[in-house]
């Protein structure tokens, strides 16, 4: 599934430039992806799109007033306030692992990942079968969340998400 997501990201730089699911499925099939991979990726992208509905993308909007996902108002999940502390469930800790949780925390501390986007990243990561999730796969999810939101990460963040750690020299 992740190979399909990377292909979509690389070929449709903006989420709104992506073709409709049927046409995208045909294009992916023509590029040699397996039907099961395509189906899983399209379902994952559809669920990502649903999660992104109502996300405050403009500055100045109070994120705590916006619900995330398809849930009804009675049991809706509110976007966290900026000073909230996120406590990860045991299932989230097992699924994401220490390396991915540390990377999410790093992005939050750097001011790159808002609480609302973090929740979507976690929800989309939990929707995968990888356990514990590899950091490279989490980075793909982060790229896809930014891609879907229309928010282009700055160059340093994009470099961190796209570049491997191999060959880096610590200063």
């Amino acid at each position: 599934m992740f190979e399909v997501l990377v292909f979509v990201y690389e070929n449709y730089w903006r989420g709104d430039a992506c073709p409709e699911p049927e046409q995208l499925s045909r294009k992916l099939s023509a590029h040699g992806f397996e039907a099961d991979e395509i189906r899983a990726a399209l379902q994952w992208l559809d669920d990502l799109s649903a999660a992104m509905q109502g996300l405050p993308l403009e500055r100045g909007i109070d994120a705590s007033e916006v619900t995330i996902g398809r849930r009804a108002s009675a049991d809706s999940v509110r976007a966290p306030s900026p000073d909230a502390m996120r406590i990860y469930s045991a299932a989230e800790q097992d699924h994401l692992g220490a390396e991915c949780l540390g990377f999410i925390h790093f992005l939050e501390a750097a001011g790159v990942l808002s609480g609302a986007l973090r929740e979507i990243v976690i929800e989309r990561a939990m929707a995968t079968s990888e356990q514990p999730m590899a950091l490279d796969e989490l980075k793909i999810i982060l790229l896809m969340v930014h891609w879907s939101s229309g928010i282009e990460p700055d160059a340093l963040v994009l470099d961190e998400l796209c570049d491997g750690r191999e060959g880096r020299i610590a200063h």
Side-chain angles (χ1 to χ4, degrees):
M1 177 184 81
F2 287 102
E3 293 84 12
V4 174
L5 294 177
V6 169
F7 179 87
V8 170
Y9 180 81
E10 289 175 345
N11 288 281
Y12 304 102
W13 181 245
R14 292 182 38 93
D16 57 2
C18 193
E20 293 298 316
E22 292 96 24
Q23 184 181 8
L24 180 59
S25 178
R26 285 191 302 272
K27 287 184 178 200
L28 292 169
S29 182
H31 281 279
F33 291 106
E34 298 291 326
D36 291 341
E37 286 182 301
I38 295 170
R39 198 172 12 265
L42 291 179
Q43 181 62 52
W44 191 93
L45 286 169
D46 185 50
D47 292 344
L48 172 61
S49 178
M52 297 300 289
Q53 297 301 315
L55 183 69
L57 300 178
E58 301 168 87
R59 296 185 196 279
I61 296 176
D62 182 5
S64 65
E65 298 300 318
V66 179
T67 59
I68 299 173
R70 300 185 219 196
R71 297 182 179 114
S73 60
D75 62 346
S76 63
V77 176
R78 298 226 178 251
S81 65
D83 58 348
M85 179 190 297
R86 176 63 155 87
I87 306 295
Y88 294 94
S89 70
E92 290 170 337
Q93 290 176 34
D94 290 342
H95 192 83
L96 295 170
E99 188 176 30
C100 289
L101 290 173
F103 191 70
I104 291 170
H105 179 72
F106 162 73
L107 293 175
E108 282 185 279
V112 173
L113 187 64
S114 69
L117 286 180
R118 177 199 62 220
E119 292 305 310
I120 292 173
V121 167
I122 293 168
E123 187 271 330
R124 294 289 69 222
M126 294 298 289
T128 66
S129 62
E130 305 299 319
Q131 187 169 339
M133 174 164 273
L135 182 59
D136 288 341
E137 292 169 347
L138 178 70
K139 288 179 178 183
I140 293 169
I141 291 172
L142 284 156
L143 282 172
M144 294 308 294
V145 168
H146 276 94
W147 174 81
S148 181
S149 69
I151 300 170
E152 186 175 329
D154 69 24
L156 292 175
V157 173
L158 197 55
D159 182 54
E160 184 67 33
L161 292 175
C162 294
D163 190 24
R165 293 185 177 182
E166 297 81 36
R168 287 190 182 181
I169 299 174
H171 297 344

